[in-house]
């Protein structure tokens, strides 16, 4: 398994074509793209830390060796539970994405669907996919997951769009492989991954065969361009030293638009091509696992950080024993632990899917409940954090003013409470990162916009059974 240093060495040979803020940048030279590399390195470091071995790693049925859980296909409910625990742990340690999370969930979704296609259609996709997975495991590669297409006009099907490129699709097939065009948006950490696994964003219908495609593409393959998100946090990181920022090493959740401009994919990296009937089930399984992990468990780790920062700020200003503060902190814990309970339930109530495959998926109802609980609850948690932290989280001067002799004495004098001004400023900046930043909308849409989960929850729930229960007790037939 790779150490953090080995990962850092390995990315030196990557050469992704990256644009950020209107100019081309080098992965290892730009302060924002480096946050992705730092975060990945930390995940590798956690993987080699004996304290976290049981959460971060497992034994591969393919290689017989120890592998990162980021590359493991769940084969039991215990595997599912550990996977969710890994999501919480990495969020607690990074305060940003485990950028290998979406990749892990595409791998889990593809394992079952390729198995079914081989069984039903006699394709060789599963053999091919498992051979590729073995290669990923043996080399302990960082894999990102590309699901979300640009999608153009949302009310139109892929084939009805003015520009077909708004959905990734196949433009050519030959004896050696396929050529794909299109773009995937909001791609977490793709720039720092060794590979990206691409799956369709939704179910496909007959006639949409070109859009039904799943494959693995190496970082920086010819025709690939990464156009990074650019936010006030990017500008701030460009302007000032990282130590003054809210999450100095790992920054924000960094994403990009990943453009595929006639990218060639050899057949041994293609895992679905034209089988429209299987796309709906593929994305449904991806959603199942991703809502438990990214939608729920990951955000619980973020909530732990926000709760910790809020409690510290309350203690710094001496209000931590006030009943309304205790109540607000308790409310934050209640929301976060409810979401955590849903992820644990999703794992423990999971089961083998498809039957006979040996692969396991979480329970859908609890997974959707986890994501919905935290999507709403995160705003609530940020509301209380903003309340407890006081206006300082958004009105604070910079720690740089503490280093200027002309202002330092005033900052020390007036921003001191029971705690020194340094501690208050540092923690307020940390909180600013969460409450006055990108995480509200990020948590809302990451792992799918909540309407999708509401539709799933409604469709999955056996309302007839609930009606019968009510009728029976009320004495109605
Ligand atoms: C921080 C972050 C990280 C992410 N990382 C990844 C990643 O690594 N890989 C990846 O593939 N994706 C990633 N995503 C993308 C994420 O999955 C999408 O944001 C999510 O699925 C919503 O899609 P969208 O952003 O295109 O929203 P939109 O489709 O633009 O949705 C906006 C609104 O329109 C509604 N809507 C959309 N379509 C319809 C319709 N047909 N009918 C009615 N209403 C509709 C939605 O419910 C929502 O209310 C990430 C997103 C975020 C925020």
């Amino acid at each position: 398994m790779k150490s953090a240093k080995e990962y850092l060495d390995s990315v030196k040979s990557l050469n992704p074509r990256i644009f950020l803020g209107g100019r081309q940048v080098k992965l290892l030279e730009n302060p924002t793209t480096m946050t992705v590399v730092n975060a990945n390195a930390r995940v590798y470091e956690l993987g080699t830390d004996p304290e976290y071995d049981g959460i971060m790693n497992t034994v591969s049925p393919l290689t017989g060796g120890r592998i990162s859980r980021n590359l493991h296909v769940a084969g039991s409910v215990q595997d599912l539970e550990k996977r969710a625990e890994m999501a919480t742990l990495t969020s607690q340690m990074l305060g940003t994405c485990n950028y290998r999370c979406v990749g892990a969930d595409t791998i889990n979704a593809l394992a079952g669907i390729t198995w079914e296609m081989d069984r039903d259609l006699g394709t060789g996709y599963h053999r091919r996919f498992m051979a590729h997975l073995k290669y990923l495991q043996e080399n302990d590669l960082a894999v990102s997951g590309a699901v979300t297409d640009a999608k153009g006009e949302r009310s139109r099907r892929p084939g009805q769009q003015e520009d077909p490129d708004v959905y990734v699709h196949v433009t050519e097939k030959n004896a050696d492989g396929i050529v794909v065009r299109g773009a995937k948006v909001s791609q977490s950490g793709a720039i720092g991954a060794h590979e990206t696994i691409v799956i369709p964003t939704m179910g496909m219908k007959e006639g949409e065969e070109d859009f039904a495609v799943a494959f693995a593409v190496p970082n920086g393959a010819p025709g690939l361009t990464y156009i990074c998100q650019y936010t006030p946090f990017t500008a701030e990181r460009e302007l000032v030293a990282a130590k003054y920022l809210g999450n100095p090493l790992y920054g924000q959740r960094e994403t990009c638009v990943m453009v595929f401009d006639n990218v060639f994919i050899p057949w041994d990296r293609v895992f679905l091509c034209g089988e429209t009937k299987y796309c709906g089930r593929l994305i449904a399984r991806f959603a199942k696992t991703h809502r438990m992990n990214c939608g729920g468990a990951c955000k619980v780790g973020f909530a732990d950080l926000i709760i910790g920062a809020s409690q510290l700020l309350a203690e710094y200003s001496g209000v931590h024993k006030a009943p309304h503060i205790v109540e607000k902190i308790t409310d934050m814990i209640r929301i976060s632990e409810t979401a955590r309970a849903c992820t644990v339930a999703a794992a423990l109530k999971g089961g083998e899917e498809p039957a006979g495959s040996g692969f396991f998926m979480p329970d859908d109802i609890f997974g959707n409940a986890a994501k919905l609980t935290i999507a709403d609850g995160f705003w609530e948690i940020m509301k209380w954090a903003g309340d407890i932290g006081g206006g300082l989280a958004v009105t604070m001067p910079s720690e740089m003013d503490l280093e200027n002799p002309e202002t330092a004495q005033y900052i020390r004098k007036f921003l001191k409470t029971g705690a020194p001004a340094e501690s208050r400023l540092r923690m307020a900046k940390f909180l600013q990162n969460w409450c006055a930043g990108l995480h509200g909308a990020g948590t809302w849409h990451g792992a799918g916009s909540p309407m999708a989960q509401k539709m799933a929850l409604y469709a999955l729930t056996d309302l007839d059974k609930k009606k019968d229960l009510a009728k029976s007790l009320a004495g109605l037939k």
Side-chain angles (χ1 to χ4, degrees):
M1 292 182 61
K2 275 189 176 40
S3 66
K5 181 170 179 315
E6 283 166 336
Y7 164 74
L8 289 169
D9 285 343
S10 73
V11 286
K12 285 182 192 154
S13 60
L14 301 179
N15 192 19
R17 187 166 179 257
I18 305 176
F19 290 83
L20 182 147
R23 62 203 159 83
Q24 194 163 352
V25 301
K26 291 245 180 260
L27 176 66
L28 298 178
E29 289 174 15
N30 178 274
T32 297
T33 56
M34 267 310 288
T35 61
V36 173
V37 174
N38 288 339
N40 276 350
R42 179 70 176 125
V43 171
Y44 277 100
E45 191 175 58
L46 290 172
T48 48
D49 185 335
E51 190 181 344
Y52 303 118
D53 182 62
I55 298 177
M56 297 299 296
N57 307 315
T58 185
V59 173
S60 164
L62 285 176
T63 69
R66 213 138 181 84
I67 55 155
S68 166
R69 201 172 287 284
N70 288 299
L71 296 170
H72 179 58
V73 181
S76 65
V77 292
Q78 287 75 25
D79 269 351
L80 294 170
E81 193 187 6
K82 290 285 175 204
R83 169 70 181 91
E85 266 186 57
M86 176 174 74
T88 304
L89 174 72
T90 51
S91 288
Q92 290 168 334
M93 295 290 150
L94 298 167
T96 185
C97 259
N98 164 12
Y99 290 115
R100 300 165 71 181
C101 166
V102 191
D105 292 340
T106 57
I107 286 170
N108 275 268
L110 274 169
I113 216 73
T114 53
W115 183 87
E116 279 178 315
M117 285 193 289
D118 279 14
R119 182 197 60 191
D120 301 350
L121 311 173
T123 57
Y125 288 131
H126 189 60
R127 207 175 353 98
R128 199 184 275 176
F129 175 71
M130 294 313 266
H132 190 70
L133 183 58
K134 191 170 176 217
Y135 155 78
L136 297 174
Q137 293 178 349
E138 281 170 348
N139 293 282
D140 197 14
L141 297 182
V143 178
S144 72
V147 184
T148 313
D149 282 288
K151 297 190 295 234
E153 167 100 42
R154 280 11 180 205
S155 57
R156 292 192 191 161
R157 300 286 311 170
Q160 300 166 339
Q161 299 282 341
E162 210 170 285
D163 180 351
D165 291 351
V166 294
Y167 284 84
V168 168
H169 62 289
V170 179
T171 57
E172 196 187 317
K173 283 185 204 172
N174 58 42
D176 300 324
I178 59 173
V179 176
V180 292
R181 283 182 69 80
K184 294 283 187 181
V185 300
S186 305
Q187 294 306 298
S188 298
I191 53 174
H194 300 106
E195 296 216 350
T196 297
I197 292 187
V198 179
I199 65 170
T201 202
M202 60 188 208
M204 295 293 164
K205 295 183 175 167
E206 222 174 290
E208 295 171 341
E209 284 73 14
D210 289 344
F211 303 94
V213 62
F215 56 90
V217 62
N219 182 310
L224 262 189
T225 300
Y226 305 81
I227 308 171
C228 293
Q229 71 182 48
Y230 192 89
T231 68
F233 293 93
T234 325
E236 190 183 25
R237 194 167 281 274
E238 282 171 354
L239 282 175
V240 304
K243 64 176 181 172
Y244 300 117
L245 305 178
N247 187 355
L249 274 181
Y250 310 120
Q252 294 297 314
R253 288 196 269 159
E254 294 297 337
T255 70
C256 66
V257 177
M258 197 173 168
V259 180
F260 296 78
D261 193 353
N262 292 330
V263 177
F264 173 72
I265 312 290
W267 282 117
D268 59 356
R269 286 173 164 269
V270 177
F271 312 124
L272 181 150
C273 189
E275 292 79 7
T276 50
K277 215 178 106 188
Y278 291 82
C279 293
R281 229 175 299 157
L282 172 60
I283 191 68
R285 288 200 187 126
F286 168 78
K288 247 185 209 189
T289 170
H290 203 50
R291 281 170 195 166
M292 173 181 82
N293 296 317
C294 164
C298 156
K299 304 309 173 299
V300 171
F302 288 169
D304 288 338
L305 294 171
I306 302 174
I307 295 167
S310 305
Q311 177 68 23
L312 275 171
L313 279 167
E315 289 175 14
Y316 290 167
S317 52
V319 295
H320 57 293
K321 293 204 173 127
H324 77 101
I325 299 289
V326 172
E327 190 185 334
K328 285 163 187 167
I329 292 280
T330 309
D331 223 27
M332 293 158 87
I333 297 169
R334 190 250 319 150
I335 295 164
S336 170
E337 295 306 324
T338 305
R340 193 197 306 268
C342 289
T343 67
V344 174
L348 297 183
K349 292 286 179 187
E352 191 186 49
E353 185 180 339
S357 67
F359 304 132
F360 274 62
M361 281 279 141
D363 177 85
D364 220 1
I365 289 190
F366 287 122
N368 279 293
K371 155 81 207 218
L372 278 174
T373 300
I374 208 71
D376 263 336
F378 212 74
W379 296 109
E380 196 76 0
I381 286 172
M382 293 199 300
K383 178 179 87 179
W384 293 138
D387 173 270
I388 295 167
L392 193 67
V394 287
T395 62
M396 59 179 289
S398 166
E399 274 185 67
M400 289 184 280
D401 294 306
L402 263 175
E403 291 168 11
N404 181 343
E406 294 194 56
T407 48
Q409 54 172 321
Y410 299 130
I411 302 284
R412 287 222 163 81
K413 179 178 161 83
F414 294 116
L415 294 189
K416 173 172 162 289
T417 51
E422 280 91 337
S423 307
R424 281 190 80 214
L425 282 182
R426 185 94 295 272
M427 204 39 67
K429 188 69 181 169
F430 182 77
L431 206 58
Q432 187 182 82
N433 184 63
W434 295 99
C435 301
L438 313 176
H439 284 282
T443 295
W444 189 254
H445 288 293
S449 308
M451 199 56 219
Q453 290 103 60
K454 287 193 180 167
M455 285 162 67
L457 207 52
Y458 188 78
L460 288 165
T461 298
D462 187 349
L463 284 175
D464 284 339
K465 187 175 171 197
K466 294 185 195 304
K467 286 191 297 186
D468 287 347
L469 288 169
K471 280 205 276 188
S472 161
L473 272 189
L476 285 174
K477 283 219 171 121

